[in-house]
Amino acid sequence: MPVPRKRRAAAYAAVVLATTVLAPLAGSASPATAAPVNLARTGTATASSVELDRTEFAASRVNDGDRGTRWSSKYQDDSWVQVKLAAAAHVDHVTLSWPNACARDFVLQTSPDGATWTDVARVQRDTCPRSDVVDVKSAQPVTHVRMQGRQRWGSYGYSLAEFEIWDSATPAPTPSLGLIPKPVSLVENGGTPFTLTPASPIVATGAGAGAPAAYLAGILRPSTGYALPVVTQSSAAAPIVIEVGTGKGPAGQAAEGYRLTVTSTRVQIGADTAAGALNGVQTLRQLFPQWVESDTVASAVWQVPAVSVTDYPRFAYRGMMLDVARSFYPVTEVKAYIDAAAQYKVNRLHLHLTDDQGWRIALDNPASNPAGIDYTRLTGISGRTAMTYNDSGQLMGTELGVTGFYTKADYAEIVRYAGLNGMTVVPEIDMPGHTNAALHAIPQLNTAGAQPRPAPGQQTVPANGTGNVGYSSLDAASPVTYEFVRQVLTQIAAMTPGPYLHIGGDEAHVTSHADYTAMVNAFNGTVASLGKTVVGWNEYAGTTLPQNNAVVQYWNGDRNAVANAVTGRGAKAILSPAPHTYVPQKQDSRQPLGGTWACGGPCGLDRHYNWNPGTFIPNIAETSVLGVESALWGEFIRRLGQAQYYSYPRLIATAEVGWTPQAQRDYADFTTRLSVAGGRLTVQGVNFFPAADVTWRRQVIGKPVTVAAGAPAGATWTVTAPGAAAADLITTVTWSDGRVEALTPTATQEANIPAMRINSGFTVTSLRTFSTPGTYTGTLSVRAAGQPALTRNLTVTVRPAA
């Protein structure tokens, strides 16, 4: 399959593709095709038993159309539930939705009379909750369909939320360009698309156009194999033109707005700024086929549909926070995290650099150092600590937290790379609480008012790798505290070209209100004196914020305090409400790890999408909302793969919340567009969660072959099918000479929710050997139970044997 770009930490095997046919974004059902009917809804359900003989668990719950109810059996393996149809009918497929207490082993059966049963399929699976889609394709009408249990999940009975019996396959999805975030204005003009050619140039005109042009070339060159020179002028055909200058973008949207026009002969991006032009590039990138993300050449027809886009963001700040303090991410992983988010126009990278568990940024010893603090101890000692075990001795996560730290050169590289991707780095030094790592490293900070206290005979407090919060504090009465903080913030400010310094300020539970206020007021003043805008979590909203130069980041608690900071101090608000932006919260009940406190259960994709930042804080204008931010905390999440699995696709939802006008956002429309993005993420190597709310689309690409007669042809197709297993896909190849092959797709990585990994793309390889020279066409059909087939052709040219 096309391989992900190396900078994205790919986990897939390299297979070079040269394609003749690309899968379209989607097919559409014929207008004459009737919608599938769930025959179970008019049927009658009965069961062998009902748990505790309670009506709320009755068999009738499986066909009531409500996934919030369920049938439950008594606690025995040999249990069944069945639906008698209102009339005999042909059945295409059955969908069984298990909310919990699934079957490890069951048989789906049909009957023409309720007495004689035919086994359709035996299903054995070890994941729960889940949905099973089983092909029936009954040749004759049936009257009954039964789930006959063989083995329960555990000690309880079987639980089934819905038993759906469908008379036909699900129609092909409606075509969608799949643009995320949804543009303010998009017109699909129809007609001949633009085709990128080997001779196409990228023309960059105006100050600032060169960087987004180079960025686009970096995306397109590996997959197309084209030179795509970046020039300031050209008369060559089929150019991509990027213009930056006053009036080139939408009126009144100079900061980040852009215009994108695609015709059959050229692509034109216009913007007032380089940032706006880069936003236009990200939109254009999504209009190319998903295989453009490959790190190896895919000889595809690189077409872009004819469109006109006028676009700009709702909010200026669209951020993502990465907690590197609890568990460290090396520079390469931070870059990969940036790569995946940049395409969705995320423009702020908030680095949570310090916490109780670790200190991740190296500092120098200053020339003036009255307290004699050795600042290199911060990383020399607390760069070696991270999350470990909870108070009960249980491992926090799948492994110990990763230790390490960034040198100043590392940090500069992150800042540089983020800037190339349109992101500003927002560094956070959390204080006066969440400071155990600093206290563990610096003896001078362990004065009488600091907490916790060192053990007798020790100069510093011990390291603490638990997930406990609120137990640490700097000493408000010690001059060393203020000397230390000023020196830390001074060095961080000097390393950070962006306008913000984040001082944390949250969960300082052991700090008295007077001490908290005294320290945070001083820290606020220090940030302002350094020419930066102070940012803090919403607990600091009641302190003396610099007038018209402070930002309050809301996560939980009193919204009115944030409103008061806005109205009283002229502050702006960044919104990261835990139910809508905290990605360590479970997104699905099938995930064994993750919090549930924010939502009282999983915080699914819909919770991250369906909220309005403009009205979230009471009694303030939307203009006082700087933006939104997704927050990835590190109590149990380890390394890039897990970070992506919990962030995506919910981070994509937050990106659209921050970009698209509220009136133009719709969850069903969003999930439709997201279904297109799944294949693109697969090609990129992003380890995303296959959210159940999304009907992920499948895409196919083929590799034409030239081979000598008598040699194995090795004709190969690649399929992207997010969330699918090889066993879910029915693949056959029909050749132009009449030969039919039933093939088994293979993957380098299977989807596994407990293991926190998405599947790779699938490879389907023909086993044929052609003895006669000529040209042969193979048509691959890929189908999953209950879904329409997707077909793609591939050509094999057989030359005479030497």
Side-chain angles (χ1 to χ4, degrees):
M1 66 172 288
V3 296
R5 304 199 188 283
K6 295 181 179 64
R7 67 175 186 267
R8 296 189 180 115
Y12 306 113
V15 178
V16 177
L17 291 182
T19 58
T20 54
V21 180
L22 285 175
L25 289 173
S28 57
S30 166
T33 303
V37 175
N38 179 8
L39 302 172
R41 294 287 286 117
T42 56
T44 302
T46 55
S48 59
S49 65
V50 173
E51 182 181 6
L52 304 176
D53 296 319
R54 287 164 54 174
T55 56
E56 62 262 41
F57 300 142
S60 59
R61 303 300 185 185
V62 300
N63 63 337
D64 62 1
D66 184 355
R67 294 180 185 273
T69 64
R70 60 187 170 94
W71 160 74
S72 292
S73 74
K74 294 187 184 300
Y75 306 161
Q76 55 196 42
D77 287 331
D78 185 15
S79 299
W80 54 261
V81 62
Q82 67 185 30
V83 176
K84 179 183 179 181
L85 305 182
H90 290 277
V91 173
D92 181 82
H93 67 281
V94 167
T95 301
L96 300 176
S97 299
W98 306 91
N100 47 49
C102 310
R104 288 186 184 273
D105 187 352
F106 73 90
V107 177
L108 188 76
Q109 301 173 320
T110 60
S111 174
D113 54 12
T116 303
W117 294 92
T118 299
D119 291 354
V120 174
R122 182 174 183 179
V123 179
Q124 296 172 297
R125 290 186 175 172
D126 287 333
T127 57
C128 188
R130 68 174 194 264
S131 290
D132 292 323
V133 183
V134 182
D135 260 343
V136 178
K137 308 294 184 188
S138 60
Q140 302 296 326
V142 302
T143 59
H144 294 70
V145 184
R146 172 184 286 184
M147 188 288 297
Q148 172 63 61
R150 293 284 186 253
Q151 183 183 2
R152 291 165 291 150
W153 180 258
S155 59
Y156 294 100
Y158 301 100
S159 286
L160 199 58
E162 282 296 299
F163 193 141
E164 299 170 355
I165 303 170
W166 295 95
D167 68 345
S168 59
T170 302
T174 303
S176 171
L177 294 179
L179 294 180
I180 303 175
K182 185 177 184 179
V184 173
S185 173
L186 166 66
V187 178
E188 297 183 53
N189 298 319
T192 305
F194 169 82
T195 301
L196 191 72
T197 74
S200 292
I202 300 177
V203 183
T205 64
Y215 184 95
L216 177 61
I219 296 295
L220 298 179
R221 285 170 180 159
S223 53
T224 64
Y226 300 164
L228 301 175
V230 176
V231 297
T232 56
Q233 58 183 0
S234 176
S235 59
I240 297 175
V241 180
I242 300 175
E243 291 185 301
V244 174
T246 303
K248 298 297 183 181
Q253 301 294 333
E256 292 191 85
Y258 68 93
R259 290 191 178 96
L260 168 63
T261 304
V262 181
T263 69
S264 62
T265 58
R266 66 194 279 127
V267 173
Q268 184 94 22
I269 295 173
D272 287 64
T273 63
L278 183 58
N279 288 330
V281 163
Q282 299 293 12
T283 298
L284 174 62
R285 172 186 185 177
Q286 293 184 32
L287 289 170
F288 276 101
Q290 67 177 33
W291 315 103
V292 79
E293 305 297 338
S294 172
D295 233 2
T296 56
V297 173
S299 298
V301 179
W302 298 111
Q303 292 186 332
V304 177
V307 297
S308 299
V309 177
T310 300
D311 201 15
Y312 46 85
R314 180 183 183 187
F315 297 109
Y317 188 113
R318 303 172 306 282
M320 60 181 187
M321 190 210 75
L322 187 61
D323 178 2
V324 301
R326 290 179 172 85
S327 187
F328 181 66
Y329 296 85
V331 173
T332 54
E333 293 191 352
V334 176
K335 288 182 175 181
Y337 202 66
I338 290 170
D339 284 329
Q343 63 191 315
Y344 301 111
K345 304 181 178 70
V346 172
N347 69 346
R348 300 290 186 267
L349 173 62
H350 173 180
L351 291 176
H352 186 74
L353 292 166
T354 69
D355 212 298
D356 290 314
Q357 296 81 6
W359 186 285
R360 305 299 175 209
I361 183 66
L363 299 178
D364 299 326
N365 287 321
S368 176
N369 191 354
I373 295 172
D374 182 358
Y375 288 87
T376 66
R377 289 173 59 92
L378 289 166
T379 50
I381 293 176
S382 290
R384 299 177 180 177
T385 61
M387 291 292 300
T388 53
Y389 304 91
N390 64 18
D391 287 337
S392 300
Q394 295 176 314
L395 181 67
M396 299 287 287
T398 57
E399 61 178 289
L400 293 173
V402 180
T403 61
F405 64 91
Y406 304 118
T407 66
K408 287 192 171 183
D410 290 336
Y411 184 80
E413 176 58 15
I414 292 172
V415 169
R416 183 197 70 82
Y417 193 80
L420 291 178
N421 284 270
M423 293 188 197
T424 298
V425 172
V426 180
E428 179 184 355
I429 306 297
D430 203 350
M431 52 195 178
H434 288 276
T435 48
N436 195 78
L439 294 167
H440 176 58
I442 306 299
Q444 293 91 330
L445 292 178
N446 290 266
T447 49
Q451 296 205 48
R453 302 296 303 135
Q458 299 297 313
Q459 291 186 310
T460 63
V461 300
N464 191 330
T466 70
N468 296 340
V469 299
Y471 64 87
S472 62
S473 179
L474 298 174
D475 183 358
S478 171
V480 176
T481 293
Y482 303 98
E483 177 186 335
F484 171 79
V485 170
R486 171 167 284 279
Q487 185 54 232
V488 169
L489 293 178
T490 297
Q491 293 195 40
I492 298 295
M495 290 189 282
T496 305
Y500 304 111
L501 285 187
H502 201 305
I503 64 168
D506 60 315
E507 297 178 319
H509 301 322
V510 298
T511 312
S512 71
H513 177 71
D515 285 351
Y516 179 89
T517 301
M519 284 190 281
V520 175
N521 284 348
F523 304 161
N524 290 341
T526 297
V527 173
S529 72
L530 295 170
K532 300 292 186 179
T533 297
V534 66
V535 186
W537 298 104
N538 54 271
E539 288 94 327
Y540 102 133
T543 64
T544 304
L545 303 178
Q547 190 70 38
N548 301 321
N549 193 31
V551 178
V552 179
Q553 185 168 7
Y554 177 87
W555 72 280
N556 192 33
D558 186 5
R559 302 186 200 184
N560 289 315
V562 179
N564 292 338
V566 170
T567 57
R569 303 296 299 179
K572 297 289 187 180
I574 296 170
L575 301 181
S576 298
H580 304 302
T581 67
Y582 269 34
V583 292
Q585 297 290 301
K586 286 187 180 184
Q587 54 196 317
D588 190 291
S589 59
R590 293 172 292 175
Q591 293 181 289
L593 295 178
T596 57
W597 61 264
C599 297
C603 294
L605 181 65
D606 59 331
R607 293 295 294 265
H608 282 240
Y609 190 83
N610 287 324
W611 66 291
N612 185 354
T615 59
F616 189 83
I617 301 297
N619 304 315
I620 69 170
E622 182 169 312
T623 53
S624 293
V625 178
L626 190 60
V628 296
E629 183 174 283
S630 175
L632 178 77
W633 297 103
E635 282 85 354
F636 70 90
I637 293 174
R638 303 288 177 264
R639 307 183 189 276
L640 175 65
Q642 294 184 13
Q644 290 182 335
Y645 201 71
Y646 275 81
S647 296
Y648 291 91
R650 290 182 293 179
L651 175 56
I652 303 174
T654 300
E656 180 150 307
V657 168
W659 183 279
T660 305
Q662 187 73 23
Q664 294 179 229
R665 291 202 294 110
D666 174 80
Y667 185 62
D669 173 60
F670 170 71
T671 57
T672 296
R673 288 178 283 113
L674 183 60
S675 72
V676 178
R680 187 175 298 268
L681 291 169
T682 300
V683 177
Q684 290 171 344
V686 176
N687 188 43
F688 65 102
F689 181 82
D693 286 5
V694 183
T695 304
W696 300 99
R697 304 191 189 207
R698 299 178 175 90
Q699 298 273 10
V700 184
I701 196 168
K703 176 185 177 182
V705 178
T706 298
V707 65
T716 300
W717 290 261
T718 296
V719 181
T720 56
D728 297 331
L729 302 178
I730 304 164
T731 54
T732 59
V733 177
T734 302
W735 291 95
S736 53
D737 62 359
R739 175 86 173 269
V740 177
E741 291 181 280
L743 299 173
T744 301
T746 60
T748 58
Q749 178 171 285
E750 291 279 356
N752 187 309
I753 290 175
M756 293 177 275
R757 64 172 185 259
I758 189 65
N759 57 288
S760 65
F762 297 92
T763 299
V764 181
T765 302
S766 169
L767 304 177
R768 286 204 66 179
T769 297
F770 297 89
S771 58
T772 304
T775 300
Y776 300 82
T777 299
T779 302
L780 174 70
S781 171
V782 181
R783 190 176 66 80
Q787 300 292 321
L790 182 63
T791 60
R792 289 297 172 264
N793 295 338
L794 174 154
T795 300
V796 175
T797 302
V798 181
R799 66 177 187 271

